[in-house]
Short mmCIF file of all heavy atoms in Angstrom, two decimals:
data_model
loop_
_atom_site.label_atom_id
_atom_site.label_comp_id
_atom_site.label_asym_id
_atom_site.label_seq_id
_atom_site.Cartn_x
_atom_site.Cartn_y
_atom_site.Cartn_z
N PRO A 1318 10.26 9.57 -3.04
CA PRO A 1318 9.07 8.98 -3.73
C PRO A 1318 9.05 7.45 -3.70
O PRO A 1318 7.98 6.87 -3.70
CB PRO A 1318 9.19 9.49 -5.20
CG PRO A 1318 10.62 9.92 -5.34
CD PRO A 1318 11.05 10.37 -3.97
N LEU A 1319 10.21 6.80 -3.59
CA LEU A 1319 10.22 5.37 -3.46
C LEU A 1319 9.58 4.96 -2.13
O LEU A 1319 8.80 4.03 -2.10
CB LEU A 1319 11.68 4.86 -3.54
CG LEU A 1319 11.86 3.35 -3.22
CD1 LEU A 1319 11.09 2.52 -4.24
CD2 LEU A 1319 13.36 2.97 -3.23
N ALA A 1320 9.96 5.65 -1.04
CA ALA A 1320 9.36 5.35 0.24
C ALA A 1320 7.87 5.56 0.24
O ALA A 1320 7.09 4.83 0.83
CB ALA A 1320 10.02 6.20 1.30
N ILE A 1321 7.40 6.65 -0.40
CA ILE A 1321 6.00 6.96 -0.48
C ILE A 1321 5.24 5.87 -1.30
O ILE A 1321 4.15 5.43 -0.93
CB ILE A 1321 5.75 8.33 -1.10
CG1 ILE A 1321 6.38 9.43 -0.22
CG2 ILE A 1321 4.24 8.61 -1.25
CD1 ILE A 1321 6.31 10.81 -0.83
N LEU A 1322 5.85 5.46 -2.41
CA LEU A 1322 5.27 4.37 -3.18
C LEU A 1322 5.14 3.12 -2.39
O LEU A 1322 4.13 2.39 -2.44
CB LEU A 1322 6.12 4.15 -4.47
CG LEU A 1322 5.69 2.98 -5.37
CD1 LEU A 1322 4.31 3.27 -5.99
CD2 LEU A 1322 6.74 2.79 -6.46
N CYS A 1323 6.18 2.77 -1.64
CA CYS A 1323 6.17 1.57 -0.81
C CYS A 1323 5.10 1.67 0.26
O CYS A 1323 4.43 0.66 0.58
CB CYS A 1323 7.53 1.36 -0.14
SG CYS A 1323 8.83 0.86 -1.29
N LEU A 1324 4.92 2.89 0.81
CA LEU A 1324 3.88 3.07 1.85
C LEU A 1324 2.53 2.88 1.25
O LEU A 1324 1.63 2.27 1.89
CB LEU A 1324 4.06 4.47 2.47
CG LEU A 1324 3.10 4.81 3.58
CD1 LEU A 1324 3.23 3.80 4.73
CD2 LEU A 1324 3.32 6.22 4.10
N ALA A 1325 2.32 3.37 0.05
CA ALA A 1325 1.03 3.18 -0.63
C ALA A 1325 0.73 1.71 -0.83
O ALA A 1325 -0.38 1.22 -0.55
CB ALA A 1325 1.02 3.91 -1.99
N ALA A 1326 1.72 0.97 -1.32
CA ALA A 1326 1.55 -0.44 -1.52
C ALA A 1326 1.29 -1.17 -0.19
O ALA A 1326 0.45 -2.09 -0.12
CB ALA A 1326 2.80 -1.03 -2.25
N SER A 1327 2.02 -0.79 0.82
CA SER A 1327 1.90 -1.46 2.09
C SER A 1327 0.54 -1.23 2.74
O SER A 1327 -0.07 -2.15 3.28
CB SER A 1327 3.03 -0.98 3.07
OG SER A 1327 3.10 -1.83 4.20
N TRP A 1328 0.09 0.00 2.73
CA TRP A 1328 -1.25 0.30 3.28
C TRP A 1328 -2.35 -0.47 2.57
O TRP A 1328 -3.20 -1.06 3.19
CB TRP A 1328 -1.52 1.81 3.20
CG TRP A 1328 -1.16 2.55 4.48
CD1 TRP A 1328 -1.12 2.08 5.73
CD2 TRP A 1328 -0.83 3.95 4.54
NE1 TRP A 1328 -0.78 3.06 6.62
CE2 TRP A 1328 -0.61 4.20 5.93
CE3 TRP A 1328 -0.73 4.98 3.61
CZ2 TRP A 1328 -0.27 5.49 6.40
CZ3 TRP A 1328 -0.38 6.24 4.09
CH2 TRP A 1328 -0.14 6.49 5.47
N PHE A 1329 -2.30 -0.39 1.23
CA PHE A 1329 -3.35 -1.03 0.44
C PHE A 1329 -3.32 -2.57 0.60
O PHE A 1329 -4.35 -3.21 0.87
CB PHE A 1329 -3.22 -0.65 -1.03
CG PHE A 1329 -4.21 -1.39 -1.94
CD1 PHE A 1329 -5.50 -1.02 -2.01
CD2 PHE A 1329 -3.78 -2.49 -2.66
CE1 PHE A 1329 -6.41 -1.67 -2.79
CE2 PHE A 1329 -4.68 -3.17 -3.49
CZ PHE A 1329 -6.01 -2.75 -3.57
N LEU A 1330 -2.13 -3.18 0.42
CA LEU A 1330 -2.03 -4.64 0.49
C LEU A 1330 -2.27 -5.19 1.90
O LEU A 1330 -2.81 -6.28 2.05
CB LEU A 1330 -0.64 -5.06 -0.07
CG LEU A 1330 -0.41 -4.80 -1.54
CD1 LEU A 1330 1.02 -5.15 -1.92
CD2 LEU A 1330 -1.38 -5.54 -2.40
N ALA A 1331 -1.84 -4.42 2.91
CA ALA A 1331 -2.10 -4.85 4.27
C ALA A 1331 -3.60 -4.90 4.56
O ALA A 1331 -4.05 -5.89 5.20
CB ALA A 1331 -1.40 -3.91 5.26
N ALA A 1332 -4.29 -3.92 4.10
CA ALA A 1332 -5.76 -3.89 4.30
C ALA A 1332 -6.45 -4.99 3.48
O ALA A 1332 -7.28 -5.71 4.01
CB ALA A 1332 -6.32 -2.51 3.91
N ALA A 1333 -6.04 -5.14 2.22
CA ALA A 1333 -6.67 -6.14 1.38
C ALA A 1333 -6.34 -7.57 1.82
O ALA A 1333 -7.17 -8.45 1.71
CB ALA A 1333 -6.25 -5.89 -0.07
N GLY A 1334 -5.10 -7.73 2.37
CA GLY A 1334 -4.70 -9.04 2.78
C GLY A 1334 -5.50 -9.61 3.95
O GLY A 1334 -5.56 -10.82 4.14
N VAL A 1335 -6.14 -8.76 4.69
CA VAL A 1335 -7.01 -9.21 5.83
C VAL A 1335 -8.23 -9.95 5.30
O VAL A 1335 -8.65 -10.95 5.88
CB VAL A 1335 -7.40 -8.02 6.70
CG1 VAL A 1335 -8.45 -8.45 7.74
CG2 VAL A 1335 -6.19 -7.39 7.34
N PHE A 1336 -8.72 -9.49 4.17
CA PHE A 1336 -9.97 -10.03 3.62
C PHE A 1336 -9.74 -11.05 2.47
O PHE A 1336 -10.63 -11.91 2.24
CB PHE A 1336 -10.85 -8.90 3.11
CG PHE A 1336 -11.11 -7.85 4.14
CD1 PHE A 1336 -10.45 -6.62 4.08
CD2 PHE A 1336 -12.02 -8.07 5.19
CE1 PHE A 1336 -10.67 -5.67 5.01
CE2 PHE A 1336 -12.25 -7.09 6.13
CZ PHE A 1336 -11.56 -5.86 6.06
N VAL A 1337 -8.63 -10.96 1.79
CA VAL A 1337 -8.31 -11.84 0.66
C VAL A 1337 -7.01 -12.57 1.01
O VAL A 1337 -5.93 -12.05 0.82
CB VAL A 1337 -8.15 -11.07 -0.65
CG1 VAL A 1337 -7.93 -12.07 -1.82
CG2 VAL A 1337 -9.36 -10.20 -0.90
N ARG A 1338 -7.13 -13.79 1.53
CA ARG A 1338 -5.96 -14.50 2.03
C ARG A 1338 -5.05 -15.06 0.92
O ARG A 1338 -3.90 -15.40 1.16
CB ARG A 1338 -6.41 -15.65 2.95
CG ARG A 1338 -7.17 -15.19 4.19
CD ARG A 1338 -6.30 -14.21 5.03
NE ARG A 1338 -7.04 -13.64 6.10
CZ ARG A 1338 -7.09 -14.13 7.31
NH1 ARG A 1338 -6.48 -15.30 7.58
NH2 ARG A 1338 -7.80 -13.56 8.29
N ASP A 1339 -5.59 -15.14 -0.31
CA ASP A 1339 -4.80 -15.57 -1.43
C ASP A 1339 -3.95 -14.43 -2.02
O ASP A 1339 -3.17 -14.67 -2.98
CB ASP A 1339 -5.67 -16.11 -2.55
CG ASP A 1339 -6.28 -17.47 -2.16
OD1 ASP A 1339 -5.77 -18.11 -1.21
OD2 ASP A 1339 -7.34 -17.82 -2.74
N LEU A 1340 -4.09 -13.25 -1.52
CA LEU A 1340 -3.46 -12.09 -2.08
C LEU A 1340 -1.91 -12.24 -2.07
O LEU A 1340 -1.22 -11.77 -3.03
CB LEU A 1340 -3.83 -10.85 -1.33
CG LEU A 1340 -3.34 -9.51 -1.89
CD1 LEU A 1340 -3.90 -9.27 -3.30
CD2 LEU A 1340 -3.78 -8.34 -0.98
N GLY A 1341 -1.40 -12.83 -1.03
CA GLY A 1341 0.08 -13.00 -0.96
C GLY A 1341 0.68 -13.69 -2.13
O GLY A 1341 1.74 -13.31 -2.63
N HIS A 1342 -0.02 -14.77 -2.65
CA HIS A 1342 0.49 -15.51 -3.78
C HIS A 1342 0.45 -14.63 -5.03
O HIS A 1342 1.38 -14.66 -5.84
CB HIS A 1342 -0.36 -16.77 -3.98
CG HIS A 1342 -0.34 -17.67 -2.81
ND1 HIS A 1342 0.72 -18.50 -2.46
CD2 HIS A 1342 -1.34 -17.93 -1.87
CE1 HIS A 1342 0.45 -19.17 -1.38
NE2 HIS A 1342 -0.80 -18.90 -1.03
N ALA A 1343 -0.63 -13.89 -5.20
CA ALA A 1343 -0.74 -13.03 -6.37
C ALA A 1343 0.28 -11.94 -6.38
O ALA A 1343 0.86 -11.56 -7.39
CB ALA A 1343 -2.16 -12.40 -6.43
N VAL A 1344 0.57 -11.36 -5.20
CA VAL A 1344 1.57 -10.31 -5.06
C VAL A 1344 2.92 -10.83 -5.40
O VAL A 1344 3.71 -10.14 -6.08
CB VAL A 1344 1.51 -9.68 -3.64
CG1 VAL A 1344 2.72 -8.75 -3.42
CG2 VAL A 1344 0.24 -8.94 -3.41
N GLY A 1345 3.24 -12.05 -4.94
CA GLY A 1345 4.56 -12.62 -5.26
C GLY A 1345 4.77 -12.75 -6.73
O GLY A 1345 5.82 -12.40 -7.26
N LEU A 1346 3.75 -13.22 -7.49
CA LEU A 1346 3.86 -13.33 -8.92
C LEU A 1346 3.96 -11.95 -9.60
O LEU A 1346 4.76 -11.75 -10.53
CB LEU A 1346 2.66 -14.09 -9.45
CG LEU A 1346 2.56 -15.58 -9.15
CD1 LEU A 1346 1.24 -16.15 -9.57
CD2 LEU A 1346 3.74 -16.32 -9.79
N THR A 1347 3.18 -11.01 -9.10
CA THR A 1347 3.18 -9.67 -9.68
C THR A 1347 4.53 -8.99 -9.48
O THR A 1347 5.05 -8.33 -10.40
CB THR A 1347 2.10 -8.83 -9.04
OG1 THR A 1347 0.81 -9.43 -9.28
CG2 THR A 1347 2.05 -7.42 -9.66
N VAL A 1348 5.09 -9.11 -8.29
CA VAL A 1348 6.38 -8.51 -8.01
C VAL A 1348 7.48 -9.11 -8.87
O VAL A 1348 8.38 -8.42 -9.37
CB VAL A 1348 6.72 -8.67 -6.52
CG1 VAL A 1348 8.17 -8.31 -6.24
CG2 VAL A 1348 5.85 -7.77 -5.70
N THR A 1349 7.43 -10.44 -9.09
CA THR A 1349 8.40 -11.09 -9.98
C THR A 1349 8.26 -10.54 -11.42
O THR A 1349 9.25 -10.27 -12.09
CB THR A 1349 8.15 -12.60 -9.99
OG1 THR A 1349 8.35 -13.11 -8.66
CG2 THR A 1349 9.17 -13.28 -10.90
N ALA A 1350 7.02 -10.41 -11.88
CA ALA A 1350 6.75 -9.89 -13.23
C ALA A 1350 7.25 -8.44 -13.33
O ALA A 1350 7.82 -8.02 -14.35
CB ALA A 1350 5.28 -9.96 -13.59
N LEU A 1351 7.13 -7.69 -12.25
CA LEU A 1351 7.51 -6.30 -12.22
C LEU A 1351 9.01 -6.15 -12.42
O LEU A 1351 9.51 -5.18 -12.97
CB LEU A 1351 7.10 -5.64 -10.92
CG LEU A 1351 7.19 -4.11 -10.83
CD1 LEU A 1351 6.29 -3.46 -11.89
CD2 LEU A 1351 6.80 -3.62 -9.44
N LEU A 1352 9.76 -7.13 -11.97
CA LEU A 1352 11.26 -7.09 -12.13
C LEU A 1352 11.60 -7.05 -13.61
O LEU A 1352 12.58 -6.35 -14.05
CB LEU A 1352 11.85 -8.37 -11.49
CG LEU A 1352 13.35 -8.55 -11.70
CD1 LEU A 1352 14.16 -7.40 -11.08
CD2 LEU A 1352 13.82 -9.85 -11.12
N PHE A 1353 10.81 -7.77 -14.44
CA PHE A 1353 11.12 -7.80 -15.89
C PHE A 1353 10.39 -6.72 -16.64
O PHE A 1353 10.70 -6.49 -17.81
CB PHE A 1353 10.74 -9.19 -16.45
CG PHE A 1353 11.48 -10.33 -15.80
CD1 PHE A 1353 10.97 -11.02 -14.73
CD2 PHE A 1353 12.78 -10.63 -16.26
CE1 PHE A 1353 11.72 -12.08 -14.17
CE2 PHE A 1353 13.53 -11.68 -15.72
CZ PHE A 1353 12.96 -12.37 -14.63
N LEU A 1354 9.44 -6.06 -16.01
CA LEU A 1354 8.69 -4.98 -16.66
C LEU A 1354 9.17 -3.60 -16.21
O LEU A 1354 8.56 -2.58 -16.47
CB LEU A 1354 7.20 -5.13 -16.35
CG LEU A 1354 6.52 -6.36 -16.93
CD1 LEU A 1354 5.05 -6.45 -16.49
CD2 LEU A 1354 6.62 -6.36 -18.47
N SER A 1355 10.29 -3.56 -15.51
CA SER A 1355 10.94 -2.35 -15.08
C SER A 1355 12.38 -2.35 -15.65
O SER A 1355 13.00 -3.40 -15.86
CB SER A 1355 10.98 -2.24 -13.57
OG SER A 1355 9.68 -2.38 -12.98
N PRO A 1356 12.96 -1.16 -15.93
CA PRO A 1356 14.32 -1.12 -16.45
C PRO A 1356 15.34 -1.37 -15.36
O PRO A 1356 16.18 -0.53 -15.06
CB PRO A 1356 14.39 0.33 -16.95
CG PRO A 1356 13.45 1.12 -16.11
CD PRO A 1356 12.34 0.20 -15.81
N VAL A 1357 15.26 -2.57 -14.81
CA VAL A 1357 16.21 -2.97 -13.73
C VAL A 1357 17.31 -3.85 -14.28
O VAL A 1357 18.47 -3.56 -14.03
CB VAL A 1357 15.41 -3.73 -12.61
CG1 VAL A 1357 16.42 -4.29 -11.57
CG2 VAL A 1357 14.44 -2.83 -11.95
N LEU A 1358 16.95 -4.86 -15.07
CA LEU A 1358 17.93 -5.81 -15.59
C LEU A 1358 18.47 -5.39 -16.95
O LEU A 1358 19.35 -6.06 -17.51
CB LEU A 1358 17.28 -7.21 -15.73
CG LEU A 1358 16.69 -7.81 -14.43
CD1 LEU A 1358 16.05 -9.13 -14.72
CD2 LEU A 1358 17.73 -7.92 -13.38
N TYR A 1359 17.92 -4.31 -17.50
CA TYR A 1359 18.33 -3.83 -18.79
C TYR A 1359 18.13 -2.29 -18.85
O TYR A 1359 17.30 -1.76 -18.11
CB TYR A 1359 17.52 -4.51 -19.94
CG TYR A 1359 16.04 -4.50 -19.64
CD1 TYR A 1359 15.24 -3.38 -19.99
CD2 TYR A 1359 15.39 -5.59 -19.04
CE1 TYR A 1359 13.88 -3.38 -19.71
CE2 TYR A 1359 14.03 -5.59 -18.77
CZ TYR A 1359 13.28 -4.47 -19.13
OH TYR A 1359 11.93 -4.43 -18.85
N PRO A 1360 18.84 -1.60 -19.74
CA PRO A 1360 18.66 -0.16 -19.81
C PRO A 1360 17.35 0.18 -20.58
O PRO A 1360 16.94 -0.57 -21.45
CB PRO A 1360 19.90 0.31 -20.59
CG PRO A 1360 20.28 -0.90 -21.42
CD PRO A 1360 19.94 -2.09 -20.59
N LEU A 1361 16.80 1.31 -20.22
CA LEU A 1361 15.60 1.75 -20.91
C LEU A 1361 15.83 1.98 -22.39
O LEU A 1361 14.95 1.80 -23.24
CB LEU A 1361 15.10 3.07 -20.26
CG LEU A 1361 13.69 3.51 -20.54
CD1 LEU A 1361 12.68 2.47 -20.06
CD2 LEU A 1361 13.40 4.84 -19.89
N SER A 1362 17.05 2.35 -22.77
CA SER A 1362 17.42 2.57 -24.18
C SER A 1362 17.38 1.31 -25.01
O SER A 1362 17.33 1.35 -26.24
CB SER A 1362 18.77 3.19 -24.25
OG SER A 1362 19.77 2.35 -23.67
N ALA A 1363 17.36 0.12 -24.32
CA ALA A 1363 17.33 -1.13 -25.07
C ALA A 1363 15.95 -1.44 -25.57
O ALA A 1363 15.76 -2.35 -26.41
CB ALA A 1363 17.84 -2.29 -24.20
N LEU A 1364 14.95 -0.75 -25.13
CA LEU A 1364 13.55 -1.01 -25.52
C LEU A 1364 13.21 -0.37 -26.84
O LEU A 1364 13.78 0.66 -27.20
CB LEU A 1364 12.60 -0.49 -24.45
CG LEU A 1364 12.64 -1.18 -23.06
CD1 LEU A 1364 11.76 -0.38 -22.08
CD2 LEU A 1364 12.14 -2.58 -23.17
#
């Protein structure tokens, strides 16, 4: 499912990136935020 999720993101963002050239900057910020909004740096039980 991780590979499928990545494929979904890649298909969508690759298509959108052709028409919206600022998308790369927004994706960079979103991905950084996602690091702190996912149980990666801390356990889910800490929430």
Side-chain angles (χ1 to χ4, degrees):
L1319 173 61
I1321 298 174
L1322 176 65
C1323 290
L1324 183 58
S1327 191
W1328 265 335
F1329 175 78
L1330 294 175
V1335 173
F1336 306 103
V1337 184
R1338 298 303 173 89
D1339 291 339
L1340 185 61
H1342 301 286
V1344 170
L1346 290 173
T1347 302
V1348 167
T1349 300
L1351 191 61
L1352 175 62
F1353 298 96
L1354 295 175
S1355 305
V1357 174
L1358 305 178
Y1359 48 84
L1361 196 61
S1362 58
L1364 294 171

